[in-house]
Amino acid sequence: MKIVRFYLRRFLRAQRLPSKDLQLWRDEMLSAILLVTVCLGALTAVPSVLLAIRDKLFSIILIDGLAIAWLFTLWRWRSLSFVARSWNFLLIVYLVGVFFLLKVGPVSQIYLLAVPVLTSLLLGLRPAIAVLVVNALTLLAVGFFADIDLQFDRYHDRPFLRWIIISLNFTFISSVITITCGVLLRRLEESLRKQMEISQSLKGEQKSLRKANEELRLISAAVENLNDMVLITNNDLGAEGPQLVFVNRAFEHISGYGRSEVLGKSLDVLYGENSDSHEIIRIHTAMQSQQAIRSEIISYNKAGKEFWLEIDIQPINDSAGVCSNFVAIERDISDRKKAEFDIYRLAFFDVLTGLPNRRLLRDRMGVLLASAQRTGHFGAVLFIDLDHFKTINDARGHATGDELLIEVAKRLSGLLREVDTVARIGGDEFVVLVDNLDNHIEMASKMALSVADKIRIGLAKDFEIDGQTYSSSCSIGVTLLPKAGQSVDDLLRESDTAMYRAKSAGRNQIAFFEGAMQTEVEERLTLEHDLAKAQDLCELQMVMQAQVNELGVPVGAELLMRWNSKDRGPVSPVVFIPLAEASGLIVRMGDWVIAQACQIALLLRSHACDFPLSVNVSPKQFRQADFVDKVATILAQYQVDGSCLIFEVTEGLFIDDLQETIARMSKLSALGIRFSIDDFGTGFSSLNYLKRLPLYELKIDKSFVHDVPGDANGAAIVGSILSMAKQFGLRVVAEGVETEAQADYLIENGCDSLQGFLYSRPIAPSAWLAART
């Protein structure tokens, strides 16, 4: 009884509604019970109905028919709730039991016995206990009041006690069967519930497992199809290091190794002779300490070809936090490294020659200067400029010029030590840094001079390009370092200044920088600045020097520029004209000269002096794209005919682009302007351009006139020029005539005009006109 009470309390306390799946199971169970009951009820009702018909018990026939019909209706009526169907089914069994108890007798108690058992199965233990109580009360009431014959003689005189005993025994047996069924059903429900929970858990785990498997499949596919190489090693930290346990297809494609060839080997399988040993040690050290590392290193494929790898190695820990593997992500960065190298070369090296450029040169000069200041050993900077390179470049084309520069770079590199630096800083300019000469300045100077002379002699040798031989000397400026307060800019400026001194000394020379050179450069810059302002300050003026015929009558005049500075006084044309040419000021000054020539021509014409005026035209001025238009504008402004002007040009004008020069001269000739070749015979003399150019006259340079008639060679040159000019129909003007003997010789040999101090010094036009009156 204690066990029964224990389970009874437990199930009464723990009773709860079945889950959805258990309820479905009970629905199916109820439907099955109803179906079986209908079928078996129909079979058992046949003999009962027959007996009832024989005995004329029509109420039994009615009850059986109604019960079976009701049961059939409940079986088909699935939309009715489970509880309602269950109570209807139990009510049928109960009512049939009560009816048969009244009509048939005590044997019908079996129906009442089935009601609590079925209630326990269908609705649970609590409703079943309630039904047990109802059954006991029903049996007691019906049996006592209906006086049913029980074939039980004891207590015949005490019927109520007799039915109490029967009811208690009936209830006891019913309770045992009912509770047993309830316990079994409860156990079954709990078991089913646990099985369902386990099943749900398994479904969840299977779902998670399928998801994990799908993720693993995707990860595996992604790793296999990555463009980057993926390598996984074990955690063996022995002497050879962790061994490979996995490589993806990218590894096989890039390295050329198959999986079977590398599994079990270390990461060192890809390293070779040019792999950075320090970087390899750093990788091994990081893996030994189980730390992540990133590296870039030269590697080798199976064929031995070098390529750059970017390596990212990460330790992988297991659930216990212990390193179980290493994974290395490696990618081929050869293209990136090449691009970085190309960018570096473009930034720090000359594209044509491959030598360091100005930027890298300055860096190395800074290092050299700091080292020299620290050690006390002198170094030197050599500034090298090729002589007449422009002539070769213009005459043979830029391709030949570039080849010459490449050959010069090779020759310079071959002449110097590996520790020295050869750089190209632009055009035909090279700079050489010579380190660690000597700690005594005298010896260092001698050694620097020796290196410079070695370079000068080396570059003076002929160069062979495309089967042609070219010669190109060089001018070299040298400065020593270190000096107090000296900077990189000072080194370049000093060596450049010395180089220009070497050029002015006749080219193919070597010049050391001296303090006086800097003073000279600064003076030149100041002079250029003052010259730029001279025109606006009206410090420039034009003077004229007459050109006379054999009778001494003026037939022309040359206009010459003079600069009377308010601060400096008179400045020689020998000084400021080359400066104007070099700085570009000559273009603006030349336009002013043409305008002045027109004004002077008008002034002379007003005094009945109608002869042409010669003005010097610089090649730089002549090559201006709008030169012809500017000349036409000036002539129109002053209403002067072009025939009153003669443009004196030098032979250097005809070296570059002769066709363009001829076309431009023809346009100017159409304006009436005539052309004279100044200093004829001192430059690029050629009979070819004499017959092609629209020339008017030749001017014999005073250096030739100075030697006649005493010098036979000079006289021969002058005679040849005069004879040639007559053949071409050109006038000849001899400048620099200072003696009667010179004049007589020139007149005797047919010179058309004479110009020089013998006849007139350069003076202002107004003064010249005043002297004639």
Side-chain angles (χ1 to χ4, degrees), residues 234-272:
N234 57 24
N235 64 344
D236 184 359
L237 300 177
E240 295 184 0
Q243 289 90 41
L244 292 168
V245 296
F246 171 82
V247 294
N248 66 347
R249 280 200 293 264
F251 174 87
E252 295 179 293
H253 174 70
I254 295 173
S255 71
Y257 290 102
R259 289 187 182 178
S260 59
E261 296 178 273
V262 296
L263 294 184
K265 297 184 179 180
S266 70
L267 293 174
D268 294 354
V269 69
L270 296 180
Y271 302 150

mmCIF file of all heavy atoms in Angstrom, residues 234-272:
data_model
loop_
_atom_site.group_PDB
_atom_site.id
_atom_site.type_symbol
_atom_site.label_atom_id
_atom_site.label_comp_id
_atom_site.label_asym_id
_atom_site.label_seq_id
_atom_site.Cartn_x
_atom_site.Cartn_y
_atom_site.Cartn_z
ATOM 1 N N ASN A 234 51.881 20.081 -38.554
ATOM 2 C CA ASN A 234 51.623 19.613 -37.193
ATOM 3 C C ASN A 234 52.359 20.516 -36.212
ATOM 4 O O ASN A 234 52.896 21.565 -36.601
ATOM 5 C CB ASN A 234 52.037 18.144 -37.040
ATOM 6 C CG ASN A 234 53.515 17.928 -37.412
ATOM 7 O OD1 ASN A 234 54.311 18.874 -37.351
ATOM 8 N ND2 ASN A 234 53.878 16.719 -37.784
ATOM 9 N N ASN A 235 52.395 20.117 -34.952
ATOM 10 C CA ASN A 235 53.041 20.961 -33.937
ATOM 11 C C ASN A 235 54.382 20.394 -33.487
ATOM 12 O O ASN A 235 54.842 20.676 -32.380
ATOM 13 C CB ASN A 235 52.121 21.127 -32.725
ATOM 14 C CG ASN A 235 51.864 19.799 -32.012
ATOM 15 O OD1 ASN A 235 52.116 18.736 -32.576
ATOM 16 N ND2 ASN A 235 51.366 19.865 -30.783
ATOM 17 N N ASP A 236 55.009 19.601 -34.358
ATOM 18 C CA ASP A 236 56.304 19.013 -34.020
ATOM 19 C C ASP A 236 57.361 20.118 -34.015
ATOM 20 O O ASP A 236 57.674 20.692 -35.067
ATOM 21 C CB ASP A 236 56.664 17.933 -35.040
ATOM 22 C CG ASP A 236 57.964 17.212 -34.677
ATOM 23 O OD1 ASP A 236 58.570 17.575 -33.653
ATOM 24 O OD2 ASP A 236 58.362 16.296 -35.424
ATOM 25 N N LEU A 237 57.877 20.431 -32.852
ATOM 26 C CA LEU A 237 58.858 21.508 -32.721
ATOM 27 C C LEU A 237 60.267 20.951 -32.573
ATOM 28 O O LEU A 237 61.122 21.523 -31.903
ATOM 29 C CB LEU A 237 58.511 22.399 -31.525
ATOM 30 C CG LEU A 237 57.131 23.080 -31.590
ATOM 31 C CD1 LEU A 237 56.871 23.877 -30.327
ATOM 32 C CD2 LEU A 237 57.026 23.955 -32.819
ATOM 33 N N GLY A 238 60.527 19.835 -33.232
ATOM 34 C CA GLY A 238 61.847 19.232 -33.194
ATOM 35 C C GLY A 238 62.845 20.012 -34.026
ATOM 36 O O GLY A 238 62.606 21.148 -34.441
ATOM 37 N N ALA A 239 63.965 19.368 -34.298
ATOM 38 C CA ALA A 239 65.067 20.036 -34.999
ATOM 39 C C ALA A 239 64.649 20.476 -36.400
ATOM 40 O O ALA A 239 65.013 21.563 -36.859
ATOM 41 C CB ALA A 239 66.277 19.098 -35.082
ATOM 42 N N GLU A 240 63.872 19.649 -37.100
ATOM 43 C CA GLU A 240 63.479 19.981 -38.457
ATOM 44 C C GLU A 240 62.252 20.877 -38.498
ATOM 45 O O GLU A 240 61.891 21.386 -39.558
ATOM 46 C CB GLU A 240 63.201 18.698 -39.243
ATOM 47 C CG GLU A 240 64.446 17.826 -39.437
ATOM 48 C CD GLU A 240 64.139 16.613 -40.297
ATOM 49 O OE1 GLU A 240 62.966 16.474 -40.718
ATOM 50 O OE2 GLU A 240 65.063 15.835 -40.557
ATOM 51 N N GLY A 241 61.590 21.059 -37.369
ATOM 52 C CA GLY A 241 60.423 21.916 -37.328
ATOM 53 C C GLY A 241 59.173 21.164 -37.707
ATOM 54 O O GLY A 241 59.205 19.990 -38.087
ATOM 55 N N PRO A 242 58.003 21.807 -37.616
ATOM 56 C CA PRO A 242 56.731 21.162 -37.938
ATOM 57 C C PRO A 242 56.703 20.651 -39.375
ATOM 58 O O PRO A 242 57.253 21.282 -40.284
ATOM 59 C CB PRO A 242 55.708 22.282 -37.719
ATOM 60 C CG PRO A 242 56.381 23.241 -36.803
ATOM 61 C CD PRO A 242 57.828 23.192 -37.146
ATOM 62 N N GLN A 243 56.046 19.506 -39.585
ATOM 63 C CA GLN A 243 55.951 18.926 -40.920
ATOM 64 C C GLN A 243 54.586 19.238 -41.527
ATOM 65 O O GLN A 243 53.581 19.364 -40.834
ATOM 66 C CB GLN A 243 56.136 17.394 -40.865
ATOM 67 C CG GLN A 243 57.565 16.972 -40.556
ATOM 68 C CD GLN A 243 57.803 16.829 -39.070
ATOM 69 O OE1 GLN A 243 56.950 16.317 -38.351
ATOM 70 N NE2 GLN A 243 58.949 17.285 -38.600
ATOM 71 N N LEU A 244 54.572 19.317 -42.834
ATOM 72 C CA LEU A 244 53.343 19.614 -43.556
ATOM 73 C C LEU A 244 52.386 18.429 -43.485
ATOM 74 O O LEU A 244 52.792 17.279 -43.693
ATOM 75 C CB LEU A 244 53.650 19.934 -45.018
ATOM 76 C CG LEU A 244 54.409 21.240 -45.278
ATOM 77 C CD1 LEU A 244 54.907 21.297 -46.708
ATOM 78 C CD2 LEU A 244 53.516 22.436 -44.999
ATOM 79 N N VAL A 245 51.118 18.737 -43.218
ATOM 80 C CA VAL A 245 50.080 17.694 -43.221
ATOM 81 C C VAL A 245 48.998 18.004 -44.258
ATOM 82 O O VAL A 245 48.164 17.150 -44.552
ATOM 83 C CB VAL A 245 49.440 17.550 -41.827
ATOM 84 C CG1 VAL A 245 50.463 17.087 -40.813
ATOM 85 C CG2 VAL A 245 48.783 18.876 -41.382
ATOM 86 N N PHE A 246 49.020 19.224 -44.809
ATOM 87 C CA PHE A 246 48.031 19.581 -45.825
ATOM 88 C C PHE A 246 48.572 20.729 -46.669
ATOM 89 O O PHE A 246 49.192 21.655 -46.158
ATOM 90 C CB PHE A 246 46.706 20.015 -45.179
ATOM 91 C CG PHE A 246 45.721 20.610 -46.161
ATOM 92 C CD1 PHE A 246 44.920 19.793 -46.930
ATOM 93 C CD2 PHE A 246 45.637 21.987 -46.331
ATOM 94 C CE1 PHE A 246 44.029 20.337 -47.852
ATOM 95 C CE2 PHE A 246 44.755 22.540 -47.245
ATOM 96 C CZ PHE A 246 43.948 21.707 -48.006
ATOM 97 N N VAL A 247 48.332 20.655 -47.974
ATOM 98 C CA VAL A 247 48.571 21.775 -48.894
ATOM 99 C C VAL A 247 47.405 21.803 -49.869
ATOM 100 O O VAL A 247 46.831 20.762 -50.198
ATOM 101 C CB VAL A 247 49.907 21.637 -49.661
ATOM 102 C CG1 VAL A 247 51.092 21.739 -48.738
ATOM 103 C CG2 VAL A 247 49.962 20.342 -50.469
ATOM 104 N N ASN A 248 47.036 23.011 -50.318
ATOM 105 C CA ASN A 248 45.913 23.097 -51.255
ATOM 106 C C ASN A 248 46.405 23.092 -52.696
ATOM 107 O O ASN A 248 47.609 23.016 -52.970
ATOM 108 C CB ASN A 248 45.057 24.344 -50.967
ATOM 109 C CG ASN A 248 45.814 25.636 -51.238
ATOM 110 O OD1 ASN A 248 47.030 25.631 -51.401
ATOM 111 N ND2 ASN A 248 45.104 26.747 -51.268
ATOM 112 N N ARG A 249 45.447 23.169 -53.626
ATOM 113 C CA ARG A 249 45.799 23.077 -55.046
ATOM 114 C C ARG A 249 46.651 24.257 -55.494
ATOM 115 O O ARG A 249 47.492 24.120 -56.390
ATOM 116 C CB ARG A 249 44.520 22.994 -55.890
ATOM 117 C CG ARG A 249 43.910 21.600 -55.914
ATOM 118 C CD ARG A 249 42.980 21.440 -57.112
ATOM 119 N NE ARG A 249 41.810 22.277 -56.982
ATOM 120 C CZ ARG A 249 40.630 21.873 -56.494
ATOM 121 N NH1 ARG A 249 40.504 20.638 -56.056
ATOM 122 N NH2 ARG A 249 39.605 22.693 -56.420
ATOM 123 N N ALA A 250 46.408 25.443 -54.907
ATOM 124 C CA ALA A 250 47.212 26.613 -55.292
ATOM 125 C C ALA A 250 48.691 26.361 -55.016
ATOM 126 O O ALA A 250 49.562 26.782 -55.784
ATOM 127 C CB ALA A 250 46.732 27.859 -54.543
ATOM 128 N N PHE A 251 48.991 25.671 -53.916
ATOM 129 C CA PHE A 251 50.375 25.330 -53.606
ATOM 130 C C PHE A 251 50.957 24.450 -54.710
ATOM 131 O O PHE A 251 52.076 24.689 -55.184
ATOM 132 C CB PHE A 251 50.452 24.609 -52.266
ATOM 133 C CG PHE A 251 51.831 24.091 -51.931
ATOM 134 C CD1 PHE A 251 52.748 24.898 -51.289
ATOM 135 C CD2 PHE A 251 52.215 22.806 -52.272
ATOM 136 C CE1 PHE A 251 54.022 24.436 -50.993
ATOM 137 C CE2 PHE A 251 53.489 22.334 -51.989
ATOM 138 C CZ PHE A 251 54.392 23.156 -51.345
ATOM 139 N N GLU A 252 50.200 23.461 -55.128
ATOM 140 C CA GLU A 252 50.693 22.563 -56.179
ATOM 141 C C GLU A 252 50.917 23.332 -57.481
ATOM 142 O O GLU A 252 51.909 23.106 -58.189
ATOM 143 C CB GLU A 252 49.701 21.425 -56.410
ATOM 144 C CG GLU A 252 49.536 20.500 -55.209
ATOM 145 C CD GLU A 252 48.535 19.396 -55.469
ATOM 146 O OE1 GLU A 252 47.332 19.704 -55.612
ATOM 147 O OE2 GLU A 252 48.966 18.230 -55.545
ATOM 148 N N HIS A 253 49.982 24.243 -57.796
ATOM 149 C CA HIS A 253 50.078 25.002 -59.042
ATOM 150 C C HIS A 253 51.266 25.963 -59.026
ATOM 151 O O HIS A 253 52.013 26.056 -60.007
ATOM 152 C CB HIS A 253 48.779 25.778 -59.269
ATOM 153 C CG HIS A 253 48.823 26.696 -60.441
ATOM 154 N ND1 HIS A 253 48.856 26.247 -61.748
ATOM 155 C CD2 HIS A 253 48.871 28.057 -60.507
ATOM 156 C CE1 HIS A 253 48.910 27.290 -62.566
ATOM 157 N NE2 HIS A 253 48.917 28.398 -61.835
ATOM 158 N N ILE A 254 51.442 26.667 -57.922
ATOM 159 C CA ILE A 254 52.486 27.693 -57.865
ATOM 160 C C ILE A 254 53.861 27.079 -57.661
ATOM 161 O O ILE A 254 54.829 27.473 -58.317
ATOM 162 C CB ILE A 254 52.168 28.709 -56.747
ATOM 163 C CG1 ILE A 254 50.875 29.475 -57.078
ATOM 164 C CG2 ILE A 254 53.323 29.688 -56.545
ATOM 165 C CD1 ILE A 254 50.389 30.377 -55.962
ATOM 166 N N SER A 255 53.950 26.110 -56.751
ATOM 167 C CA SER A 255 55.270 25.548 -56.421
ATOM 168 C C SER A 255 55.711 24.463 -57.391
ATOM 169 O O SER A 255 56.907 24.201 -57.537
ATOM 170 C CB SER A 255 55.250 24.984 -54.995
ATOM 171 O OG SER A 255 54.456 23.805 -54.943
ATOM 172 N N GLY A 256 54.755 23.809 -58.037
ATOM 173 C CA GLY A 256 55.105 22.709 -58.927
ATOM 174 C C GLY A 256 55.257 21.377 -58.211
ATOM 175 O O GLY A 256 55.445 20.338 -58.856
ATOM 176 N N TYR A 257 55.182 21.385 -56.888
ATOM 177 C CA TYR A 257 55.267 20.140 -56.112
ATOM 178 C C TYR A 257 53.878 19.513 -55.975
ATOM 179 O O TYR A 257 52.885 20.222 -55.798
ATOM 180 C CB TYR A 257 55.814 20.409 -54.712
ATOM 181 C CG TYR A 257 57.274 20.788 -54.659
ATOM 182 C CD1 TYR A 257 57.664 22.114 -54.500
ATOM 183 C CD2 TYR A 257 58.266 19.813 -54.763
ATOM 184 C CE1 TYR A 257 58.999 22.468 -54.438
ATOM 185 C CE2 TYR A 257 59.611 20.161 -54.704
ATOM 186 C CZ TYR A 257 59.972 21.484 -54.538
ATOM 187 O OH TYR A 257 61.292 21.829 -54.490
ATOM 188 N N GLY A 258 53.815 18.165 -56.043
ATOM 189 C CA GLY A 258 52.598 17.457 -55.723
ATOM 190 C C GLY A 258 52.477 17.282 -54.217
ATOM 191 O O GLY A 258 53.458 17.395 -53.476
ATOM 192 N N ARG A 259 51.272 16.992 -53.744
ATOM 193 C CA ARG A 259 51.065 16.829 -52.305
ATOM 194 C C ARG A 259 51.932 15.712 -51.741
ATOM 195 O O ARG A 259 52.533 15.851 -50.673
ATOM 196 C CB ARG A 259 49.594 16.538 -52.018
ATOM 197 C CG ARG A 259 48.685 17.727 -52.238
ATOM 198 C CD ARG A 259 47.278 17.447 -51.787
ATOM 199 N NE ARG A 259 46.422 18.606 -52.060
ATOM 200 C CZ ARG A 259 45.123 18.649 -51.800
ATOM 201 N NH1 ARG A 259 44.529 17.589 -51.269
ATOM 202 N NH2 ARG A 259 44.418 19.723 -52.073
ATOM 203 N N SER A 260 51.972 14.607 -52.453
ATOM 204 C CA SER A 260 52.725 13.456 -51.936
ATOM 205 C C SER A 260 54.211 13.764 -51.799
ATOM 206 O O SER A 260 54.917 13.120 -51.021
ATOM 207 C CB SER A 260 52.527 12.252 -52.862
ATOM 208 O OG SER A 260 52.970 12.567 -54.179
ATOM 209 N N GLU A 261 54.683 14.794 -52.547
ATOM 210 C CA GLU A 261 56.105 15.126 -52.508
ATOM 211 C C GLU A 261 56.482 15.974 -51.303
ATOM 212 O O GLU A 261 57.650 16.011 -50.911
ATOM 213 C CB GLU A 261 56.505 15.875 -53.788
ATOM 214 C CG GLU A 261 56.375 15.070 -55.059
ATOM 215 C CD GLU A 261 56.754 15.893 -56.280
ATOM 216 O OE1 GLU A 261 55.867 16.580 -56.828
ATOM 217 O OE2 GLU A 261 57.943 15.849 -56.678
ATOM 218 N N VAL A 262 55.503 16.687 -50.745
ATOM 219 C CA VAL A 262 55.840 17.641 -49.678
ATOM 220 C C VAL A 262 55.257 17.260 -48.324
ATOM 221 O O VAL A 262 55.732 17.757 -47.298
ATOM 222 C CB VAL A 262 55.386 19.064 -50.052
ATOM 223 C CG1 VAL A 262 56.133 19.562 -51.262
ATOM 224 C CG2 VAL A 262 53.880 19.123 -50.284
ATOM 225 N N LEU A 263 54.201 16.424 -48.299
ATOM 226 C CA LEU A 263 53.630 16.052 -47.006
ATOM 227 C C LEU A 263 54.670 15.311 -46.174
ATOM 228 O O LEU A 263 55.333 14.386 -46.655
ATOM 229 C CB LEU A 263 52.390 15.181 -47.200
ATOM 230 C CG LEU A 263 51.183 15.866 -47.860
ATOM 231 C CD1 LEU A 263 49.987 14.918 -47.907
ATOM 232 C CD2 LEU A 263 50.808 17.152 -47.138
ATOM 233 N N GLY A 264 54.807 15.739 -44.939
ATOM 234 C CA GLY A 264 55.834 15.177 -44.060
ATOM 235 C C GLY A 264 57.118 15.980 -44.059
ATOM 236 O O GLY A 264 58.004 15.741 -43.234
ATOM 237 N N LYS A 265 57.228 16.978 -44.962
ATOM 238 C CA LYS A 265 58.415 17.838 -44.992
ATOM 239 C C LYS A 265 58.101 19.168 -44.315
ATOM 240 O O LYS A 265 56.946 19.508 -44.073
ATOM 241 C CB LYS A 265 58.878 18.052 -46.424
ATOM 242 C CG LYS A 265 59.330 16.776 -47.125
ATOM 243 C CD LYS A 265 59.858 17.071 -48.513
ATOM 244 C CE LYS A 265 60.335 15.797 -49.196
ATOM 245 N NZ LYS A 265 60.855 16.048 -50.556
ATOM 246 N N SER A 266 59.159 19.950 -44.057
ATOM 247 C CA SER A 266 58.971 21.230 -43.372
ATOM 248 C C SER A 266 58.725 22.344 -44.385
ATOM 249 O O SER A 266 58.810 22.136 -45.602
ATOM 250 C CB SER A 266 60.206 21.567 -42.524
ATOM 251 O OG SER A 266 61.295 21.885 -43.372
ATOM 252 N N LEU A 267 58.431 23.534 -43.857
ATOM 253 C CA LEU A 267 58.215 24.699 -44.719
ATOM 254 C C LEU A 267 59.461 25.081 -45.499
ATOM 255 O O LEU A 267 59.382 25.795 -46.507
ATOM 256 C CB LEU A 267 57.749 25.897 -43.882
ATOM 257 C CG LEU A 267 56.368 25.789 -43.228
ATOM 258 C CD1 LEU A 267 56.143 26.990 -42.322
ATOM 259 C CD2 LEU A 267 55.283 25.707 -44.273
ATOM 260 N N ASP A 268 60.628 24.609 -45.052
ATOM 261 C CA ASP A 268 61.889 24.967 -45.701
ATOM 262 C C ASP A 268 62.014 24.382 -47.096
ATOM 263 O O ASP A 268 62.982 24.676 -47.811
ATOM 264 C CB ASP A 268 63.075 24.488 -44.856
ATOM 265 C CG ASP A 268 63.149 25.224 -43.523
ATOM 266 O OD1 ASP A 268 62.356 26.166 -43.346
ATOM 267 O OD2 ASP A 268 63.975 24.856 -42.673
ATOM 268 N N VAL A 269 61.057 23.562 -47.521
ATOM 269 C CA VAL A 269 61.134 22.932 -48.831
ATOM 270 C C VAL A 269 61.141 23.969 -49.949
ATOM 271 O O VAL A 269 61.637 23.714 -51.035
ATOM 272 C CB VAL A 269 59.957 21.934 -49.016
ATOM 273 C CG1 VAL A 269 58.632 22.671 -49.132
ATOM 274 C CG2 VAL A 269 60.172 21.062 -50.237
ATOM 275 N N LEU A 270 60.596 25.175 -49.672
ATOM 276 C CA LEU A 270 60.526 26.219 -50.702
ATOM 277 C C LEU A 270 61.683 27.208 -50.648
ATOM 278 O O LEU A 270 61.769 28.093 -51.502
ATOM 279 C CB LEU A 270 59.209 26.999 -50.576
ATOM 280 C CG LEU A 270 57.919 26.220 -50.823
ATOM 281 C CD1 LEU A 270 56.717 27.130 -50.669
ATOM 282 C CD2 LEU A 270 57.924 25.584 -52.201
ATOM 283 N N TYR A 271 62.572 27.095 -49.665
ATOM 284 C CA TYR A 271 63.645 28.070 -49.524
ATOM 285 C C TYR A 271 64.867 27.616 -50.313
ATOM 286 O O TYR A 271 65.064 26.421 -50.569
ATOM 287 C CB TYR A 271 64.018 28.272 -48.056
ATOM 288 C CG TYR A 271 62.845 28.720 -47.202
ATOM 289 C CD1 TYR A 271 62.761 28.388 -45.855
ATOM 290 C CD2 TYR A 271 61.812 29.474 -47.747
ATOM 291 C CE1 TYR A 271 61.697 28.782 -45.071
ATOM 292 C CE2 TYR A 271 60.734 29.878 -46.973
ATOM 293 C CZ TYR A 271 60.677 29.519 -45.643
ATOM 294 O OH TYR A 271 59.607 29.914 -44.876
ATOM 295 N N GLY A 272 65.707 28.605 -50.702
ATOM 296 C CA GLY A 272 66.902 28.312 -51.488
ATOM 297 C C GLY A 272 68.039 29.244 -51.151
ATOM 298 O O GLY A 272 68.021 29.936 -50.123
#
